[in-house]
Protein backbone atom coordinates (compact mmCIF):
# COMPACT_ATOMS: atom_id res chain seq x y z
CA UNK A 1 0.00 0.00 0.00
CA UNK A 2 2.36 2.76 -1.23
CA UNK A 3 0.52 5.68 0.31
CA UNK A 4 0.70 3.97 3.70
CA UNK A 5 4.29 5.15 3.92
CA UNK A 6 2.96 8.46 5.16
CA UNK A 7 2.06 6.83 8.51
CA UNK A 8 3.77 4.43 10.89
CA UNK A 9 1.00 1.81 11.23
CA UNK A 10 3.01 -0.96 12.82
CA UNK A 11 0.99 -0.79 16.03
CA UNK A 12 -2.25 -1.85 14.26
CA UNK A 13 -2.69 -5.66 14.13
CA UNK A 14 -3.23 -7.06 10.64
CA UNK A 15 -6.21 -9.30 10.04
CA UNK A 16 -8.79 -9.92 7.39
CA UNK A 17 -11.42 -7.27 6.97
CA UNK A 18 -14.45 -7.22 4.75
CA UNK A 19 -13.54 -3.63 3.80
CA UNK A 20 -11.84 -2.32 0.70
CA UNK A 21 -8.19 -1.44 0.79
CA UNK A 22 -8.97 2.26 0.59
CA UNK A 23 -11.40 2.18 3.52
CA UNK A 24 -8.88 0.24 5.59
CA UNK A 25 -6.24 2.86 4.81
CA UNK A 26 -8.62 5.68 5.67
CA UNK A 27 -9.56 4.14 9.02
CA UNK A 28 -5.98 3.33 10.01
CA UNK A 29 -4.81 6.80 9.02
CA UNK A 30 -7.56 8.42 11.07
CA UNK A 31 -6.66 6.31 14.12
CA UNK A 32 -2.98 7.22 13.84
CA UNK A 33 -3.77 10.91 13.41
CA UNK A 34 -6.01 10.79 16.51
CA UNK A 35 -3.22 9.26 18.58
CA UNK A 36 -0.73 11.88 17.48
CA UNK A 37 -3.11 14.80 18.05
CA UNK A 38 -3.90 13.63 21.60
CA UNK A 39 -0.21 13.23 22.40
CA UNK A 40 0.79 16.56 20.90
CA UNK A 41 -2.22 18.64 21.99
CA UNK A 42 -1.20 22.21 22.80
CA UNK A 43 -1.81 23.36 26.36
CA UNK A 44 -5.28 24.83 26.91
CA UNK A 45 -5.12 28.58 27.30
CA UNK A 46 -7.04 29.78 30.33
CA UNK A 47 -9.47 32.62 29.78
CA UNK A 48 -8.39 35.80 31.52
CA UNK A 49 -9.87 35.95 35.01
CA UNK A 50 -12.77 38.35 35.44
CA UNK A 51 -11.70 41.33 37.55
CA UNK A 52 -12.62 40.98 41.19
CA UNK A 53 -15.92 42.69 41.96
CA UNK A 54 -16.83 44.18 44.28
CA UNK A 55 -13.31 45.39 44.94
CA UNK A 56 -12.32 44.95 48.56
CA UNK A 57 -11.23 48.20 50.20
CA UNK A 58 -12.49 50.50 47.43
CA UNK A 59 -13.87 53.31 49.58
CA UNK A 60 -14.98 55.25 46.49
CA UNK A 61 -17.51 52.51 45.67
CA UNK A 62 -21.01 51.77 46.96
CA UNK A 63 -24.02 49.78 45.80
CA UNK A 64 -27.58 50.98 45.17
CA UNK A 65 -30.45 48.49 45.15
CA UNK A 66 -34.00 49.06 43.98
CA UNK A 67 -36.44 47.40 46.39
CA UNK A 68 -39.60 46.07 44.73
CA UNK A 69 -38.98 42.82 42.81
CA UNK A 70 -35.23 43.42 43.04
CA UNK A 71 -34.50 42.84 46.71
CA UNK A 72 -37.98 41.68 47.67
CA UNK A 73 -40.70 39.82 45.80
CA UNK A 74 -43.64 42.14 45.26
CA UNK A 75 -44.16 45.77 46.22
CA UNK A 76 -43.33 47.04 49.68
CA UNK A 77 -46.34 49.36 49.58
CA UNK A 78 -48.62 46.44 48.82
CA UNK A 79 -47.38 44.45 51.80
CA UNK A 80 -47.48 47.52 54.03
CA UNK A 81 -51.04 48.24 52.93
CA UNK A 82 -52.07 44.70 53.82
CA UNK A 83 -50.73 45.20 57.33
CA UNK A 84 -52.44 48.53 57.80
CA UNK A 85 -55.76 47.19 56.57
CA UNK A 86 -55.49 44.23 58.92
CA UNK A 87 -55.08 46.71 61.78
CA UNK A 88 -58.22 48.61 60.74
CA UNK A 89 -56.14 51.65 59.91
CA UNK A 90 -58.50 52.86 57.17
CA UNK A 91 -62.17 53.82 56.96
CA UNK A 92 -64.33 52.03 54.43
CA UNK A 93 -64.87 55.24 52.46
CA UNK A 94 -61.07 55.47 52.02
CA UNK A 95 -60.94 51.87 50.87
CA UNK A 96 -63.69 52.41 48.31
CA UNK A 97 -61.91 55.45 46.92
CA UNK A 98 -58.59 53.63 46.65
CA UNK A 99 -60.26 50.66 44.98
CA UNK A 100 -61.78 52.88 42.29
CA UNK A 101 -58.49 54.69 41.67
CA UNK A 102 -56.63 51.39 41.37
CA UNK A 103 -59.17 50.04 38.85
CA UNK A 104 -58.89 53.25 36.82
CA UNK A 105 -55.11 53.02 36.71
CA UNK A 106 -55.14 49.40 35.55
CA UNK A 107 -57.68 50.10 32.83
CA UNK A 108 -55.90 53.23 31.62
CA UNK A 109 -52.54 51.47 31.55
CA UNK A 110 -50.62 54.73 31.62
CA UNK A 111 -49.20 57.16 34.12
CA UNK A 112 -51.60 60.06 33.63
CA UNK A 113 -50.13 62.94 35.70
CA UNK A 114 -53.48 64.22 36.95
CA UNK A 115 -54.67 60.78 38.00
CA UNK A 116 -51.38 59.99 39.68
CA UNK A 117 -51.70 63.23 41.65
CA UNK A 118 -55.20 62.20 42.78
CA UNK A 119 -53.95 58.80 43.95
CA UNK A 120 -50.99 60.34 45.75
CA UNK A 121 -53.11 62.96 47.50
CA UNK A 122 -55.68 60.40 48.59
CA UNK A 123 -52.98 58.17 50.04
CA UNK A 124 -51.32 61.09 51.81
CA UNK A 125 -54.62 62.05 53.39
CA UNK A 126 -54.65 58.71 55.21
CA UNK A 127 -51.39 59.32 57.05
CA UNK A 128 -52.08 63.01 57.67
CA UNK A 129 -52.21 63.65 61.40
CA UNK A 130 -50.57 60.35 62.36
CA UNK A 131 -47.25 60.30 64.15
CA UNK A 132 -44.16 59.09 62.33
CA UNK A 133 -43.21 56.94 65.33
CA UNK A 134 -46.58 55.16 65.16
CA UNK A 135 -46.12 54.19 61.53
CA UNK A 136 -42.53 53.13 62.16
CA UNK A 137 -43.62 50.81 64.95
CA UNK A 138 -46.35 49.29 62.80
CA UNK A 139 -43.87 48.95 59.95
CA UNK A 140 -41.58 46.79 62.09
CA UNK A 141 -44.44 44.39 62.74
CA UNK A 142 -45.53 44.34 59.11
CA UNK A 143 -41.99 43.53 57.97
CA UNK A 144 -41.98 40.42 60.13
CA UNK A 145 -45.48 39.40 58.99
CA UNK A 146 -45.30 39.97 55.24
CA UNK A 147 -41.85 40.96 54.00
CA UNK A 148 -39.07 39.00 55.69
CA UNK A 149 -39.77 35.77 53.82
CA UNK A 150 -40.06 37.55 50.46
CA UNK A 151 -36.46 38.73 50.22
CA UNK A 152 -34.68 37.17 47.23
CA UNK A 153 -31.69 35.18 48.61
CA UNK A 154 -29.69 35.82 45.44
CA UNK A 155 -30.02 39.60 45.66
CA UNK A 156 -29.37 39.48 49.39
CA UNK A 157 -26.09 37.67 48.65
CA UNK A 158 -25.09 40.38 46.16
CA UNK A 159 -25.70 43.06 48.76
CA UNK A 160 -23.73 41.10 51.33
CA UNK A 161 -20.79 40.82 48.93
CA UNK A 162 -20.59 44.61 48.82
CA UNK A 163 -20.82 44.84 52.60
CA UNK A 164 -18.10 42.20 52.97
CA UNK A 165 -15.92 44.27 50.65
CA UNK A 166 -16.26 47.20 53.04
CA UNK A 167 -18.70 49.16 50.87
CA UNK A 168 -21.92 50.91 51.82
CA UNK A 169 -25.17 49.53 50.45
CA UNK A 170 -28.31 51.64 50.00
CA UNK A 171 -31.88 50.86 49.06
CA UNK A 172 -33.33 53.29 46.51
CA UNK A 173 -37.10 53.11 46.24
CA UNK A 174 -40.33 54.99 45.63
CA UNK A 175 -41.62 53.47 48.85
CA UNK A 176 -41.79 55.81 51.85
CA UNK A 177 -38.39 56.39 53.39
CA UNK A 178 -39.66 55.11 56.74
CA UNK A 179 -40.66 51.76 55.25
CA UNK A 180 -37.43 51.56 53.24
CA UNK A 181 -35.34 52.36 56.32
CA UNK A 182 -36.97 49.54 58.30
CA UNK A 183 -36.19 47.05 55.52
CA UNK A 184 -32.61 48.29 55.12
CA UNK A 185 -32.00 48.02 58.85
CA UNK A 186 -33.43 44.50 59.03
CA UNK A 187 -31.19 43.40 56.14
CA UNK A 188 -28.12 44.96 57.72
CA UNK A 189 -27.69 47.51 54.93
CA UNK A 190 -26.32 51.02 55.33
CA UNK A 191 -29.58 52.90 54.81
CA UNK A 192 -32.28 53.85 52.35
CA UNK A 193 -33.31 56.56 49.92
CA UNK A 194 -37.09 56.77 49.65
CA UNK A 195 -40.02 59.10 49.12
CA UNK A 196 -40.19 61.69 51.87
CA UNK A 197 -43.56 62.63 53.33
CA UNK A 198 -43.48 65.97 55.14
CA UNK A 199 -43.83 65.91 58.93
CA UNK A 200 -43.86 68.68 61.52
CA UNK A 201 -43.17 67.86 65.12
CA UNK A 202 -43.16 64.18 64.26
CA UNK A 203 -46.66 64.33 62.71
CA UNK A 204 -47.42 63.85 59.01
CA UNK A 205 -48.82 66.94 57.29
CA UNK A 206 -50.25 65.09 54.28
CA UNK A 207 -47.75 66.62 51.85
CA UNK A 208 -44.68 65.35 50.04
CA UNK A 209 -41.23 66.88 50.04
CA UNK A 210 -40.74 67.27 46.30
CA UNK A 211 -42.17 64.32 44.38
CA UNK A 212 -42.18 60.51 44.62
CA UNK A 213 -38.72 58.98 44.30
CA UNK A 214 -39.44 57.32 40.98
CA UNK A 215 -37.57 57.11 37.67
CA UNK A 216 -35.28 60.12 37.13
CA UNK A 217 -35.75 61.19 40.76
CA UNK A 218 -33.92 58.03 41.86
CA UNK A 219 -30.97 58.97 39.68
CA UNK A 220 -30.90 62.43 41.23
CA UNK A 221 -30.98 60.94 44.72
CA UNK A 222 -28.06 58.62 43.93
CA UNK A 223 -26.10 61.47 42.38
CA UNK A 224 -26.69 63.68 45.42
CA UNK A 225 -25.76 60.94 47.88
CA UNK A 226 -22.62 60.08 45.94
CA UNK A 227 -21.52 63.72 46.08
CA UNK A 228 -22.17 63.89 49.80
CA UNK A 229 -20.38 60.61 50.50
CA UNK A 230 -17.42 61.30 48.22
CA UNK A 231 -18.18 58.33 45.97
CA UNK A 232 -16.94 57.74 42.43
CA UNK A 233 -20.02 56.63 40.48
CA UNK A 234 -17.84 54.82 37.93
CA UNK A 235 -16.82 52.50 40.78
CA UNK A 236 -20.37 52.03 42.04
CA UNK A 237 -22.97 49.38 41.24
CA UNK A 238 -26.74 49.64 40.85
CA UNK A 239 -29.34 46.87 40.72
CA UNK A 240 -32.95 47.02 39.51
CA UNK A 241 -35.72 45.02 37.86
CA UNK A 242 -37.44 47.89 36.07
CA UNK A 243 -36.84 49.91 32.92
CA UNK A 244 -38.04 52.90 34.95
CA UNK A 245 -34.65 52.74 36.69
CA UNK A 246 -32.52 52.97 33.56
CA UNK A 247 -31.52 56.56 34.54
CA UNK A 248 -30.13 55.26 37.86
CA UNK A 249 -28.49 52.23 36.29
CA UNK A 250 -26.87 54.39 33.62
CA UNK A 251 -25.16 56.53 36.28
CA UNK A 252 -22.87 53.82 37.59
CA UNK A 253 -19.99 51.83 36.24
CA UNK A 254 -21.51 48.49 37.18
CA UNK A 255 -25.23 48.28 36.32
CA UNK A 256 -27.11 45.02 36.93
CA UNK A 257 -30.56 44.00 35.70
CA UNK A 258 -32.12 41.80 38.41
CA UNK A 259 -35.33 39.86 37.62
CA UNK A 260 -35.75 42.32 34.73
CA UNK A 261 -38.95 43.30 32.99
CA UNK A 262 -38.95 42.88 29.21
CA UNK A 263 -37.89 46.47 28.45
CA UNK A 264 -34.99 46.39 30.88
CA UNK A 265 -33.90 42.94 29.69
CA UNK A 266 -33.75 44.21 26.10
CA UNK A 267 -31.89 47.39 27.09
CA UNK A 268 -29.44 45.50 29.30
CA UNK A 269 -28.56 43.11 26.48
CA UNK A 270 -28.04 46.00 24.07
CA UNK A 271 -25.76 47.76 26.56
CA UNK A 272 -23.90 44.65 27.69
CA UNK A 273 -25.11 44.97 31.27
CA UNK A 274 -25.07 41.94 33.53
CA UNK A 275 -28.33 40.13 34.20
CA UNK A 276 -29.43 37.99 37.12
CA UNK A 277 -32.82 36.31 37.40
CA UNK A 278 -33.80 34.69 40.68
CA UNK A 279 -37.41 33.93 39.80
CA UNK A 280 -38.52 30.35 39.29
CA UNK A 281 -40.26 31.30 36.05
CA UNK A 282 -39.35 33.75 33.28
CA UNK A 283 -42.67 35.50 33.73
CA UNK A 284 -42.95 35.22 37.49
CA UNK A 285 -45.94 37.06 38.87
CA UNK A 286 -45.21 40.41 40.39
CA UNK A 287 -47.26 40.78 43.52
CA UNK A 288 -48.52 44.28 44.18
CA UNK A 289 -49.68 47.40 42.45
CA UNK A 290 -47.75 49.27 39.73
CA UNK A 291 -45.20 51.58 41.30
CA UNK A 292 -46.80 54.72 39.90
CA UNK A 293 -50.19 53.91 41.35
CA UNK A 294 -49.22 54.22 44.98
CA UNK A 295 -45.90 55.99 45.28
CA UNK A 296 -45.30 58.80 47.66
CA UNK A 297 -47.44 57.88 50.65
CA UNK A 298 -46.87 55.69 53.63
CA UNK A 299 -50.23 54.00 53.07
CA UNK A 300 -49.98 53.81 49.31
CA UNK A 301 -50.61 50.06 49.23
CA UNK A 302 -54.17 50.46 50.50
CA UNK A 303 -55.75 50.14 47.06
CA UNK A 304 -54.14 46.78 46.51
CA UNK A 305 -55.21 45.67 49.96
CA UNK A 306 -58.81 46.53 49.14
CA UNK A 307 -58.76 44.48 45.98
CA UNK A 308 -57.17 41.56 47.84
CA UNK A 309 -59.74 41.62 50.64
CA UNK A 310 -62.67 41.86 48.26
CA UNK A 311 -61.45 38.88 46.26
CA UNK A 312 -61.27 36.86 49.47
CA UNK A 313 -64.90 37.58 50.42
Amino acid sequence: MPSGALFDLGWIPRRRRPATARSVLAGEAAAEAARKSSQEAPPVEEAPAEPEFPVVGDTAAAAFFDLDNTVMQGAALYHFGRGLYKRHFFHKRDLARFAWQQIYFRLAGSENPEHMADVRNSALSIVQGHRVAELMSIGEEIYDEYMAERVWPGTRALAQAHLDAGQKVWLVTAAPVETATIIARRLGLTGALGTVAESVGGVYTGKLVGEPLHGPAKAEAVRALAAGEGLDLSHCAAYSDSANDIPMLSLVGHPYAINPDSRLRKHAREQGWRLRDYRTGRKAAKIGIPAAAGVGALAGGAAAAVALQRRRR
Side-chain angles (χ1 to χ4, degrees):
M1 213 175 299
S3 57
L6 295 174
F7 298 93
D8 178 11
L9 303 177
W11 60 276
I12 300 177
R14 295 288 178 176
R15 66 176 185 270
R16 284 184 181 277
R17 297 179 179 85
T20 65
R22 293 178 64 84
S23 65
V24 170
L25 177 60
E28 292 176 345
E32 177 66 10
R35 289 181 72 240
K36 287 185 177 180
S37 64
S38 65
Q39 295 167 359
E40 302 171 3
V44 178
E45 294 185 9
E46 294 185 5
E50 192 171 294
E52 179 189 8
F53 185 79
V55 179
V56 176
D58 186 355
T59 57
F64 302 94
F65 284 79
D66 169 57
L67 176 57
D68 296 348
N69 292 307
T70 301
V71 170
M72 183 178 69
Q73 182 182 5
L77 287 173
Y78 170 82
H79 300 307
F80 194 73
R82 290 177 66 190
L84 292 179
Y85 187 78
K86 178 182 176 181
R87 289 163 175 77
H88 309 291
F89 199 83
F90 309 119
H91 296 296
K92 289 194 175 183
R93 63 177 179 274
D94 297 318
L95 298 177
R97 184 170 70 251
F98 277 123
W100 163 245
Q101 291 170 335
Q102 176 68 6
I103 291 170
Y104 178 92
F105 182 87
R106 288 190 179 279
L107 291 176
S110 63
E111 298 181 0
N112 179 281
E114 292 183 5
H115 178 66
M116 286 179 65
D118 290 341
V119 175
R120 180 189 66 212
N121 293 336
S122 295
L124 284 168
S125 70
I126 285 188
V127 297
Q128 183 176 3
H130 288 274
R131 299 195 65 81
V132 175
E134 175 190 7
L135 273 294
M136 288 290 287
S137 177
I138 292 174
E140 295 280 358
E141 298 173 3
I142 292 174
Y143 177 84
D144 291 330
E145 292 174 8
Y146 297 109
M147 301 181 188
E149 294 183 355
R150 290 178 168 82
V151 173
W152 296 108
T155 312
R156 180 70 187 86
L158 291 173
Q160 189 61 48
H162 287 280
L163 293 171
D164 292 344
Q167 298 175 7
K168 293 183 177 180
V169 179
W170 304 84
L171 291 182
V172 189
T173 174
V177 66
E178 292 86 355
T179 302
T181 299
I182 290 170
I183 296 170
R185 183 166 61 239
R186 290 301 192 92
L187 294 177
L189 309 183
T190 307
L193 297 163
T195 297
V196 179
E198 181 184 80
S199 63
V200 176
V203 177
Y204 289 110
T205 66
K207 299 178 181 178
L208 286 185
V209 178
E211 64 179 16
L213 199 69
H214 181 256
K218 283 189 178 182
E220 293 304 318
V222 169
R223 185 180 284 110
L225 184 66
E229 293 278 316
L231 302 173
D232 184 338
L233 286 171
S234 68
H235 291 207
C236 293
Y239 302 79
S240 178
D241 74 300
S242 173
N244 291 326
D245 289 337
I246 287 175
M248 177 180 75
L249 294 168
S250 300
L251 273 182
V252 301
H254 303 277
Y256 283 76
I258 305 294
N259 305 328
D261 60 29
S262 58
R263 285 178 54 214
L264 179 58
R265 184 181 294 274
K266 181 176 183 293
H267 186 85
R269 284 174 172 166
E270 291 172 350
Q271 299 298 317
W273 295 352
R274 295 178 183 178
L275 291 94
R276 300 285 188 277
D277 202 325
Y278 302 120
R279 297 167 295 189
T280 55
R282 186 69 172 273
K283 296 182 178 179
K286 292 189 175 183
I287 301 176
I289 58 176
V295 294
L298 201 57
V306 180
L308 176 69
Q309 293 295 332
R310 289 187 173 181
R311 284 198 300 270
R312 288 178 175 173
R313 290 175 184 173

